[in-house]
PDB file of all heavy atoms in Angstrom:
ATOM      1  N   GLN U 866      94.966 109.033 129.259  1.00 96.00           N
ATOM      2  CA  GLN U 866      96.402 109.289 129.302  1.00 96.00           C
ATOM      3  C   GLN U 866      97.158 108.029 128.892  1.00 96.00           C
ATOM      4  O   GLN U 866      96.977 106.969 129.476  1.00 96.00           O
ATOM      5  CB  GLN U 866      96.789 109.708 130.731  1.00 96.00           C
ATOM      6  CG  GLN U 866      98.273 109.940 130.930  1.00 96.00           C
ATOM      7  CD  GLN U 866      98.606 110.262 132.383  1.00 96.00           C
ATOM      8  OE1 GLN U 866      97.721 110.512 133.196  1.00 96.00           O
ATOM      9  NE2 GLN U 866      99.880 110.233 132.729  1.00 96.00           N
ATOM     10  N   LYS U 867      98.013 108.153 127.864  1.00 96.00           N
ATOM     11  CA  LYS U 867      98.799 106.998 127.431  1.00 96.00           C
ATOM     12  C   LYS U 867      99.868 106.681 128.469  1.00 96.00           C
ATOM     13  O   LYS U 867     100.576 107.576 128.939  1.00 96.00           O
ATOM     14  CB  LYS U 867      99.443 107.271 126.075  1.00 96.00           C
ATOM     15  CG  LYS U 867      99.985 106.021 125.384  1.00 96.00           C
ATOM     16  CD  LYS U 867     100.373 106.315 123.948  1.00 96.00           C
ATOM     17  CE  LYS U 867     100.810 105.049 123.238  1.00 96.00           C
ATOM     18  NZ  LYS U 867     101.165 105.315 121.830  1.00 96.00           N
ATOM     19  N   TYR U 868      99.970 105.412 128.836  1.00 96.00           N
ATOM     20  CA  TYR U 868     100.935 104.991 129.850  1.00 96.00           C
ATOM     21  C   TYR U 868     102.259 104.620 129.183  1.00 96.00           C
ATOM     22  O   TYR U 868     102.307 103.731 128.334  1.00 96.00           O
ATOM     23  CB  TYR U 868     100.393 103.792 130.638  1.00 96.00           C
ATOM     24  CG  TYR U 868     101.354 103.285 131.692  1.00 96.00           C
ATOM     25  CD1 TYR U 868     101.475 103.935 132.910  1.00 96.00           C
ATOM     26  CD2 TYR U 868     102.159 102.178 131.446  1.00 96.00           C
ATOM     27  CE1 TYR U 868     102.369 103.479 133.879  1.00 96.00           C
ATOM     28  CE2 TYR U 868     103.053 101.715 132.407  1.00 96.00           C
ATOM     29  CZ  TYR U 868     103.153 102.379 133.616  1.00 96.00           C
ATOM     30  OH  TYR U 868     104.039 101.937 134.569  1.00 96.00           O
ATOM     31  N   ASN U 869     103.326 105.303 129.573  1.00 94.00           N
ATOM     32  CA  ASN U 869     104.653 105.036 129.018  1.00 94.00           C
ATOM     33  C   ASN U 869     105.662 104.693 130.100  1.00 94.00           C
ATOM     34  O   ASN U 869     106.873 104.794 129.887  1.00 94.00           O
ATOM     35  CB  ASN U 869     105.146 106.255 128.222  1.00 94.00           C
ATOM     36  CG  ASN U 869     104.328 106.512 126.967  1.00 94.00           C
ATOM     37  OD1 ASN U 869     104.102 105.594 126.181  1.00 94.00           O
ATOM     38  ND2 ASN U 869     103.877 107.735 126.796  1.00 94.00           N
ATOM     39  N   GLY U 870     105.162 104.307 131.271  1.00 93.00           N
ATOM     40  CA  GLY U 870     106.048 104.054 132.398  1.00 93.00           C
ATOM     41  C   GLY U 870     106.560 102.629 132.476  1.00 93.00           C
ATOM     42  O   GLY U 870     106.453 101.834 131.534  1.00 93.00           O
ATOM     43  N   ASP U 871     107.106 102.308 133.644  1.00 93.00           N
ATOM     44  CA  ASP U 871     107.664 100.991 133.936  1.00 93.00           C
ATOM     45  C   ASP U 871     106.566  99.927 133.856  1.00 93.00           C
ATOM     46  O   ASP U 871     105.473 100.113 134.392  1.00 93.00           O
ATOM     47  CB  ASP U 871     108.271 101.033 135.343  1.00 93.00           C
ATOM     48  CG  ASP U 871     108.948  99.726 135.723  1.00 93.00           C
ATOM     49  OD1 ASP U 871     109.118  98.875 134.844  1.00 93.00           O
ATOM     50  OD2 ASP U 871     109.305  99.572 136.910  1.00 93.00           O
ATOM     51  N   ARG U 872     106.867  98.811 133.185  1.00 94.00           N
ATOM     52  CA  ARG U 872     105.860  97.757 133.029  1.00 94.00           C
ATOM     53  C   ARG U 872     106.047  96.613 134.018  1.00 94.00           C
ATOM     54  O   ARG U 872     105.663  95.478 133.752  1.00 94.00           O
ATOM     55  CB  ARG U 872     105.867  97.246 131.589  1.00 94.00           C
ATOM     56  CG  ARG U 872     105.358  98.308 130.612  1.00 94.00           C
ATOM     57  CD  ARG U 872     105.262  97.806 129.191  1.00 94.00           C
ATOM     58  NE  ARG U 872     104.754  98.836 128.306  1.00 94.00           N
ATOM     59  CZ  ARG U 872     104.567  98.683 126.999  1.00 94.00           C
ATOM     60  NH1 ARG U 872     104.871  97.528 126.421  1.00 94.00           N
ATOM     61  NH2 ARG U 872     104.095  99.671 126.270  1.00 94.00           N
ATOM     62  N   GLU U 873     106.636  96.924 135.163  1.00 96.00           N
ATOM     63  CA  GLU U 873     106.682  95.987 136.276  1.00 96.00           C
ATOM     64  C   GLU U 873     105.531  96.312 137.211  1.00 96.00           C
ATOM     65  O   GLU U 873     104.973  97.422 137.185  1.00 96.00           O
ATOM     66  CB  GLU U 873     108.012  96.094 137.019  1.00 96.00           C
ATOM     67  CG  GLU U 873     109.233  95.769 136.167  1.00 96.00           C
ATOM     68  CD  GLU U 873     109.264  94.319 135.715  1.00 96.00           C
ATOM     69  OE1 GLU U 873     108.733  93.451 136.445  1.00 96.00           O
ATOM     70  OE2 GLU U 873     109.804  94.051 134.618  1.00 96.00           O
ATOM     71  N   VAL U 874     105.157  95.375 138.056  1.00 96.00           N
ATOM     72  CA  VAL U 874     104.001  95.551 138.945  1.00 96.00           C
ATOM     73  C   VAL U 874     104.170  96.792 139.809  1.00 96.00           C
ATOM     74  O   VAL U 874     103.252  97.611 139.945  1.00 96.00           O
ATOM     75  CB  VAL U 874     103.784  94.295 139.816  1.00 96.00           C
ATOM     76  CG1 VAL U 874     102.664  94.537 140.824  1.00 96.00           C
ATOM     77  CG2 VAL U 874     103.458  93.104 138.937  1.00 96.00           C
ATOM     78  N   ASP U 875     105.343  96.967 140.410  1.00 95.00           N
ATOM     79  CA  ASP U 875     105.570  98.116 141.287  1.00 95.00           C
ATOM     80  C   ASP U 875     105.448  99.434 140.519  1.00 95.00           C
ATOM     81  O   ASP U 875     104.940 100.426 141.050  1.00 95.00           O
ATOM     82  CB  ASP U 875     106.961  98.034 141.930  1.00 95.00           C
ATOM     83  CG  ASP U 875     107.030  96.969 143.010  1.00 95.00           C
ATOM     84  OD1 ASP U 875     105.953  96.504 143.448  1.00 95.00           O
ATOM     85  OD2 ASP U 875     108.146  96.610 143.413  1.00 95.00           O
ATOM     86  N   GLY U 876     105.903  99.447 139.267  1.00 95.00           N
ATOM     87  CA  GLY U 876     105.795 100.649 138.454  1.00 95.00           C
ATOM     88  C   GLY U 876     104.358 101.030 138.183  1.00 95.00           C
ATOM     89  O   GLY U 876     103.979 102.209 138.262  1.00 95.00           O
ATOM     90  N   PHE U 877     103.542 100.030 137.859  1.00 97.00           N
ATOM     91  CA  PHE U 877     102.109 100.275 137.640  1.00 97.00           C
ATOM     92  C   PHE U 877     101.453 100.815 138.916  1.00 97.00           C
ATOM     93  O   PHE U 877     100.662 101.760 138.872  1.00 97.00           O
ATOM     94  CB  PHE U 877     101.400  98.996 137.210  1.00 97.00           C
ATOM     95  CG  PHE U 877     101.610  98.617 135.765  1.00 97.00           C
ATOM     96  CD1 PHE U 877     102.170  97.396 135.421  1.00 97.00           C
ATOM     97  CD2 PHE U 877     101.231  99.470 134.742  1.00 97.00           C
ATOM     98  CE1 PHE U 877     102.357  97.033 134.097  1.00 97.00           C
ATOM     99  CE2 PHE U 877     101.408  99.121 133.404  1.00 97.00           C
ATOM    100  CZ  PHE U 877     101.982  97.898 133.092  1.00 97.00           C
TER     101      PHE U 877
END
Side-chain angles (χ1 to χ4, degrees):
Q866 177 184 349
K867 195 169 184 179
Y868 179 79
N869 293 310
D871 183 10
R872 292 184 179 180
E873 299 295 330
V874 175
D875 287 345
F877 282 121

